[in-house]
C-alpha cells in the first residue's frame, strides 16, 4: 500500500501541470471568442454603412426598417469603436441624413407634380451629395480596416 501512495504522489505534479495546460487553453479560446464577437459587431456596423450607401447610390428606395437598422448600427458604434473611426461613422450618419432629407424633398416635388427651380436645385444638391457619398466609401473602408484586423496570436 505504501508503494501505491508513493506512486500516487508522483502523479500530483502531473495532474497540476495538466490542469494548468487546460486552464491556459481555456484562456486562449475565450480570448479569441471575445475578439471574434467584437470583430463581428464592428463588421456589422461597417456592413450597415456600406449597404445603405450602396442602396442610396443605386437609386433604391430606402424603407424605414433599413434606415432604422443603420441608425442602430451607428448608435452601437459609440460603444464599440475608437474615436478616430467613430468620427467617420458620424460623417457617414450625416451624409445619410442629408440624402434622406433631399430624397424626401424630391418625392414631395414628384407627388405634387412640381417642376421648378427648387426641384432643379434639390436635384443638383442630391447629385453633389451622392458624389460625396461615393468618394467617402473608400476612406471609411480604410478607417474600419484598422479595427477589423483579426490576426491569430
Amino acid at each position: 500500500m505504501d508503494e501505491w501512495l508513493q506512486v500516487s504522489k508522483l502523479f500530483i505534479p502531473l495532474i497540476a501541470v495538466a490542469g494548468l495546460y487546460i486552464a491556459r487553453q481555456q484562456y486562449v479560446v475565450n480570448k479569441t471568442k471575445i475578439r471574434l464577437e467584437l470583430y463581428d459587431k464592428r463588421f456589422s456596423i461597417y456592413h450597415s454603412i456600406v449597404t445603405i450607401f450602396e442602396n442610396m447610390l443605386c437609386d433604391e428606395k430606402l424603407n424605414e426598417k433599413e434606415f432604422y437598422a443603420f441608425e442602430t448600427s451607428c448608435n452601437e458604434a459609440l460603444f464599440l469603436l475608437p474615436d478616430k473611426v467613430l468620427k467617420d461613422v458620424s460623417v457617414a450618419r450625416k451624409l445619410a441624413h442629408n440624402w434622406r432629407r433631399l430624397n424626401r424633398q424630391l418625392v414631395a416635388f414628384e407627388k405634387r407634380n412640381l417642376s421648378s427651380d427648387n426641384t432643379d436645385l434639390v436635384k443638383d444638391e442630391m447629385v453633389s451629395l451622392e458624389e460625396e457619398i461615393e468618394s467617402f466609401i473608400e476612406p471609411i473602408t480604410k478607417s474600419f480596416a484598422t479595427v477589423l484586423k483579426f490576426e491569430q496570436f
Side-chain angles (χ1 to χ4, degrees), residues 135-149:
S135 67
F136 187 69
I137 291 175
E138 185 178 338
I140 199 155
T141 300
K142 286 181 180 178
S143 182
F144 267 88
T146 62
V147 295
L148 290 178
K149 292 182 181 177

Side-chain angles (χ1 to χ4, degrees), residues 32 36 44 64-65 85 92 98-99 104-105 107-108 133 137:
T32 303
L36 181 59
S44 175
E64 290 300 315
K65 186 176 179 181
V85 182
N98 288 342
W99 184 91
R104 285 181 173 171
Q105 287 178 356
V107 169
I133 289 171
I137 291 175

Side-chain angles (χ1 to χ4, degrees), residues 6 33 55 93:
Q6 295 298 328
K33 180 182 175 198
N55 288 345
R93 181 183 243 171

Side-chain angles (χ1 to χ4, degrees), residues 43-142:
F43 186 80
S44 175
I45 294 167
Y46 169 74
H47 185 261
S48 175
I49 292 169
V50 170
T51 300
I52 202 160
F53 280 174
E54 287 174 351
N55 288 345
M56 288 174 180
L57 295 173
C58 293
D59 292 331
E60 289 188 25
K61 301 292 183 201
L62 290 178
N63 61 35
E64 290 300 315
K65 186 176 179 181
E66 291 170 332
F67 204 80
Y68 178 76
F70 168 75
E71 279 295 314
T72 302
S73 291
C74 289
N75 291 335
E76 289 175 355
L78 292 169
F79 304 102
L80 297 171
L81 297 171
D83 289 340
K84 183 186 179 303
V85 182
L86 191 56
K87 287 178 186 176
D88 289 337
V89 171
S90 296
V91 171
R93 181 183 243 171
K94 181 182 165 202
L95 290 171
H97 281 279
N98 288 342
W99 184 91
R100 187 178 187 198
R101 177 183 53 81
L102 292 173
N103 190 52
R104 285 181 173 171
Q105 287 178 356
L106 287 175
V107 169
F109 286 143
E110 287 174 7
K111 283 183 179 178
R112 295 182 188 137
N113 290 326
L114 296 177
S115 179
S116 67
D117 292 336
N118 288 341
T119 307
D120 292 337
L121 288 174
V122 172
K123 286 181 180 179
D124 291 343
E125 194 176 343
M126 181 68 99
V127 168
S128 174
L129 182 63
E130 287 178 348
E131 288 171 357
E132 190 176 349
I133 289 171
E134 192 170 5
S135 67
F136 187 69
I137 291 175
E138 185 178 338
I140 199 155
T141 300
K142 286 181 180 178

